[in-house]
Amino acid sequence: MTLEQTTEDLKQRLDREVLLQRITQRIRSSLDLQEILDATTTETRLVLGVDRVKIYRFNPDQSGTVIAESVEGKRLPSLLGLTFPADDIPPEARKRFITQRVRSIVSVRDRSIGVSPGNKGFLPWDYYQLDPCHAEYLTAMGVASSLCLPLIHNGQLWGLLACHHADPRQYDLTTLQLIQSVVDQVSIAISQSALLTEAHQQQQREAAINRIVSLLHAQPTIEFTSAIDAAIEVLGGDGGQLYIQRDSPLRLCRGQQPLWQELPTEFSLEDAVKAWWQASSPSESLYPLLETDDVTEIPQLIPIAETLTQVGLRGLLALYLHHRQQFLGYLVVFRREINLEIHWAGEFDPNRQQERPRQSFDAWKELKRGQSQPWSLAEQQLAREISERFASAIQQYLLYRQVNTLNATLEGQVQERTRQLEQSLHLTQAMAQVADQIRSSLDLDEILQTIVREVRSLLEADRTVVYQIFEGGDGRITVEDVQGNWRSAWGIETPPGCFPEHLEEKYIQSAQARVMNDVETAELTPCHREFLESLQIRANLIVPIHCDRQLWGLIIAHQCETPRDWSDREIEQVEQLARHASIAISQAELFAQSQRATRTANAKAEQLELALQELTQTQTQLIQSEKMSSLGQLVAGVAHEINNPVNFIYGNLVHTTEYTQDLLDLLHLYQEHYPQPIDDICDHIEEIDLNFLLEDLPRMLGSMKLGAERIRQIVLSLRNFSRLDQSELKAVNLHDGIEGTLTILHHRLKAKADRAAVKVVKNYGDLPLVECYAGQLNQVFMNLISNAIDALDPFDVDKAERTVRIETQQLGLDRVAVTIADNGCGIPEDLQSQVFDPFFTTKPVGIGTGLGLSISYQIVTEKHHGSFQCCSQVGVGTEFRLEIPINQSSTRHPQHNENSTAAAKI
């Protein structure tokens, strides 16, 4: 690339950046959208060097109008202000502009078109064959090349920026990116302009509302005429009428009016509007309205349509004026028909779809006469606000008339006013007390009962109920308070389909009360009327209760004796009470939920604590059982190993005694027959002390036999204690287990240097074989006898001797008892309740684990379904008594021990 080319390229880039900066600066410095669009077309055309740049904006009917344009010379004609039909741009092209934000580059000479998405930074990759109609359309317009980019606002196709040139032209990537940046800035300007316009409209609406309010209340007496004129003006109307319903209806007509004299005398504007209203039933807002841009299209307005159209009135806006469901009147605004003039780009038949492209784009004017003007959404919103102000003013006007009427009798007015003030004060004080009572309680039943009682008392009604709505929409009267002998409504459910759906929706959307002064004259469905008459209701007042933006229920006051006119003060008091009730109910339900959650959490905590205790007890029992099992296996193994050689020794001692006696007899025979032995024999007899040997040898063999017997007895005791052959439930002799335990503990019962022997006093009863787990009961006997021996050290020297007493007896036909007692130091009374707790011990640290009695208690009570008792007195001794069934199979339901301490009898 040469230096000149590089310089030219840099210059072009600089020009593009300068253009983008100028447009951006223009957008930021100006709030006039038209000025921004004009500057955009001019600057874009200068940078691109094309013949024409235009901005094309779409209209609501999908047609489009050129609202900004810049043209160079006379190579291409100006299209500014011209409108193009909707079918000039096919629907599929509009869709691509919105969804993909495509940029199209058209070359008429090459009959090609290329598109690329706006969010992609590249030129079109592929060029497609240009549609012949499209090519003919551009040729008729004098365009040889075209660049088109969409303008998007709020996700909708707002318009197009089109660059036209009479000669073929190519666009590079840098140029395309520059124009895309310009389009993005213009889209920002469009959004800013829309926001500004909306703000201006809001400001104008508020100013118009303030002006109307000022006119309504400019004088002590309300003047409607000026306010009606202002309302007609701000709503873009040409005339209007205010109808106020009272004893003698008031009609105020302003501006252009229909030819009322041609209407039948029995038919009026308010009759037509009322029929229209009843047929439409608008309920979308608190201040609904009806609107049409052509009265001839509304069937209910046909009787008055001709009187309107004869004077050029076609549009009509009707506002329903009410205060607390009390109808006050109508405000009706008329709007003229207009002649609409459109400048099209080329002549065509608007009533037919174009089959061929137009050959000329010269301006063609179309005049549409008698066109209607639709009411915009902004005008409708403004109308609703005006309706609210007029309704409030009319209510004040009616109240003012009532005040004037009351002024006719000053004394009566003062008395009535005094009575109202006293009633208001009474109601206010009562409401404060009721609110305090409601808010001070968290009991839902008490709150609801207080509500119905106080509402009935405040209103002096015959019956007050709370109708509660449950999930699914079903409801029921859950609380009531009745004065007199009227029928009770408690528990009654509403018949399905009796109530209009719009009333239910109204209660859901609004907290406004519904008043029914006389059931007989109210507009009700037959089913609804029959339901109210069945409850003897002549008038009622219904106020909804909302909790968390949901309809919770209704407070309903019934007047059963006569119809009743509910005053505004009474309605306001019940509405205020409903608000207090809503807060109290929400608090009560939250409190109930928290209580349920607390109870659930406490129950789970207790379950977890119980499970932990059971797990700890089970773990300790498993550990101790494993120790005892290991000890039992060890004892059984040692007993087995000792038993074999002892049996061998014991069995041979009999023969050894016989053989020895035979030898002794033989020796005596030798002495009788050979009284004089040789000298060597005599010397040896003297050396071995034969006489002592003959005397001591039988005694020694007897001692050996006695020792072998003792060893066999010990081995038998060890085997009985281990009971490996009796690990299952079977009938055994409990005395064998006790004796085996005493044999094992024999070394602890003998006297030692520092203490005397322990005396064991046995008092065995005549026990049958008891069905039990012998090994586990032996463990219980071991723990109790060991603890008794431990309790005797230290021992009171003043006592006669250290004693352990063991007693057994049969209790009736199905139970046996074992008592093990000592005369040791005893257990203090404050510790006796803990003796069966795991890990509790009265022994010094390092002596005992605190598990013996706990495991013993579980073995007796849970395994053998028995009882375990402890009785102790300090300085006297301690007695443990256990009772178990003789036959375990007869016990069908084990006694589950939840707390060992509580279950024990101390």
Side-chain angles (χ1 to χ4, degrees), residues 256-283:
Q256 187 168 0
Q257 297 293 312
L259 300 176
W260 300 121
Q261 63 273 14
E262 298 186 6
L263 280 177
T265 55
E266 68 276 3
F267 199 82
S268 61
L269 173 63
E270 54 267 20
D271 295 331
V273 173
K274 181 178 180 181
W276 185 19
W277 205 273
Q278 293 175 347
S280 303
S281 299
S283 59

Side-chain angles (χ1 to χ4, degrees), residues 300-456:
Q300 293 77 18
L301 301 182
I302 294 297
I304 65 171
E306 186 176 356
T307 63
L308 291 166
T309 55
Q310 284 180 355
V311 295
L313 299 176
R314 187 169 295 272
L316 187 145
L317 178 67
L319 304 178
Y320 182 87
L321 306 178
H322 66 93
H323 180 75
R324 295 188 180 279
Q325 295 184 342
Q326 179 184 0
F327 174 71
L328 301 177
Y330 296 108
L331 175 61
V332 181
V333 179
F334 311 121
R335 178 174 282 181
R336 277 181 171 277
E337 60 186 19
I338 61 173
N339 297 326
L340 186 62
E341 186 177 281
I342 304 176
H343 294 272
W344 294 101
E347 185 176 358
F348 69 101
D349 186 356
N351 299 321
R352 296 181 55 190
Q353 185 176 3
Q354 300 181 73
E355 298 179 357
R356 298 289 301 170
R358 299 188 299 282
Q359 300 302 314
S360 172
F361 291 89
D362 295 337
W364 173 63
K365 182 174 70 174
E366 179 187 14
L367 181 61
K368 295 183 178 181
R369 299 182 180 275
Q371 299 298 305
S372 59
Q373 302 180 67
W375 303 92
S376 66
L377 294 177
E379 291 172 337
Q380 295 181 33
Q381 180 61 32
L382 178 60
R384 288 189 174 91
E385 297 180 10
I386 292 175
S387 171
E388 180 182 1
R389 303 308 191 278
F390 266 87
S392 176
I394 292 173
Q395 179 65 17
Q396 293 181 17
Y397 165 73
L398 295 176
L399 291 175
Y400 181 74
R401 292 189 65 208
Q402 293 177 2
V403 170
N404 288 337
T405 303
L406 292 175
N407 285 335
T409 54
L410 181 59
E411 183 179 358
Q413 178 188 8
V414 171
Q415 293 177 352
E416 179 65 20
R417 184 58 178 167
T418 302
R419 187 188 65 81
Q420 292 180 356
L421 290 175
E422 291 177 351
Q423 182 180 10
S424 176
L425 178 60
H426 170 70
L427 289 175
T428 302
Q429 294 174 347
M431 284 300 301
Q433 295 176 359
V434 173
D436 291 340
Q437 293 177 10
I438 294 175
R439 300 288 290 275
S440 63
S441 176
L442 292 175
D443 187 338
L444 182 59
D445 294 336
E446 181 181 352
I447 292 172
L448 297 178
Q449 195 62 50
T450 302
I451 292 172
V452 296
R453 183 180 65 251
E454 296 300 332
V455 169
R456 193 204 57 74

Side-chain angles (χ1 to χ4, degrees), residues 147-348:
L147 171 62
C148 187
L149 293 88
L151 295 170
I152 305 298
H153 173 60
N154 289 338
Q156 300 296 324
L157 185 59
W158 185 88
L160 300 172
L161 186 145
C163 303
H164 293 161
H165 199 57
D167 297 326
R169 175 183 172 84
Q170 300 293 328
Y171 293 95
D172 57 14
L173 178 59
T174 304
T175 301
L176 187 61
Q177 291 175 341
L178 172 65
I179 301 304
Q180 182 64 54
S181 299
V182 172
V183 168
D184 294 340
Q185 293 297 323
V186 173
S187 297
I188 295 173
I190 293 171
S191 298
Q192 292 177 346
S193 175
L195 292 175
L196 180 62
T197 301
E198 182 179 354
H200 285 167
Q201 291 176 350
Q202 179 65 26
Q203 183 179 7
Q204 292 173 358
R205 287 198 300 268
E206 293 177 356
I209 293 297
N210 293 334
R211 178 186 171 196
I212 291 174
V213 171
S214 300
L215 292 173
L216 285 171
H217 303 283
Q219 299 181 11
T221 59
I222 297 176
E223 294 293 337
F224 289 107
T225 54
S226 300
I228 297 173
D229 292 339
I232 294 172
E233 180 184 352
V234 298
L235 292 175
D238 298 287
Q241 182 181 124
L242 175 64
Y243 169 78
I244 301 177
Q245 181 175 277
R246 59 181 190 181
D247 297 337
S248 57
L250 174 65
R251 295 181 183 87
L252 297 176
C253 301
R254 305 295 296 174
Q256 187 168 0
Q257 297 293 312
L259 300 176
W260 300 121
Q261 63 273 14
E262 298 186 6
L263 280 177
T265 55
E266 68 276 3
F267 199 82
S268 61
L269 173 63
E270 54 267 20
D271 295 331
V273 173
K274 181 178 180 181
W276 185 19
W277 205 273
Q278 293 175 347
S280 303
S281 299
S283 59
E284 68 276 2
S285 67
L286 186 60
Y287 294 94
L289 58 81
L290 295 174
E291 55 83 20
T292 179
D293 54 9
D294 192 347
V295 293
T296 62
E297 296 178 352
I298 305 300
Q300 293 77 18
L301 301 182
I302 294 297
I304 65 171
E306 186 176 356
T307 63
L308 291 166
T309 55
Q310 284 180 355
V311 295
L313 299 176
R314 187 169 295 272
L316 187 145
L317 178 67
L319 304 178
Y320 182 87
L321 306 178
H322 66 93
H323 180 75
R324 295 188 180 279
Q325 295 184 342
Q326 179 184 0
F327 174 71
L328 301 177
Y330 296 108
L331 175 61
V332 181
V333 179
F334 311 121
R335 178 174 282 181
R336 277 181 171 277
E337 60 186 19
I338 61 173
N339 297 326
L340 186 62
E341 186 177 281
I342 304 176
H343 294 272
W344 294 101
E347 185 176 358
F348 69 101

